[in-house]
Amino acid sequence: MIDALTIAVGATALALAAWCGFAFHRDQPTKDWHFIGMAVVTLLVVVQLAVGLVRLAGGEKPHDGTAMFVAYLLGAAAAVPAAGFLSLSERTRWGSATVSAGALVLAVLEVRLFDIWGGSGA
């Protein structure tokens, strides 16, 4: 994996979590700007998914196993969109809390992806 991309995804996920957490604190639901933020984070994750799959197809192997790596890649790609869809059904402050939690889950998944790959950069 590319370390800089993993760090970028993790950092933007944490920024989204803080932003939506602040909206929760202010008793606000998710708004259009939050969805734009979710789209940016999701775009980075999709790029990471593509890079990971290309590297696997190129013959590189993760340190802790291919199946686990692909499962974490797919889980990371689904975390923020799933939280975003859930926040649409809960148009209260709890929708913002859901997105914040989903973004925190993504940040943790990024750390785990880094570990599964072996912590080596490109």
Side-chain angles (χ1 to χ4, degrees):
M1 286 298 291
I2 299 174
D3 292 348
L5 183 57
T6 303
I7 291 168
V9 172
T12 56
L14 289 174
L16 179 64
W19 188 22
C20 290
F22 184 67
F24 168 77
H25 174 71
R26 296 191 62 200
D27 201 23
Q28 297 176 341
T30 49
K31 297 186 177 174
D32 291 343
W33 290 107
H34 296 117
F35 286 98
I36 292 170
M38 286 183 255
V40 169
V41 172
T42 302
L43 178 65
L44 286 172
V45 174
V46 168
V47 169
Q48 182 183 43
L49 174 67
V51 167
L53 293 177
V54 165
R55 290 219 166 171
L56 288 174
E60 294 184 53
K61 299 290 181 197
H63 183 263
D64 289 343
T66 302
M68 185 182 297
F69 180 72
V70 171
Y72 271 87
L73 271 178
L74 294 174
V80 170
F85 282 120
L86 285 173
S87 77
L88 286 173
S89 67
E90 184 59 51
R91 299 302 293 168
T92 65
R93 69 186 283 202
W94 294 103
S96 295
T98 301
V99 174
S100 183
L104 285 174
V105 166
L106 176 58
V108 171
L109 289 172
E110 290 301 311
V111 171
R112 187 66 183 121
L113 275 169
F114 182 80
D115 290 340
I116 291 169
W117 188 261
S120 61

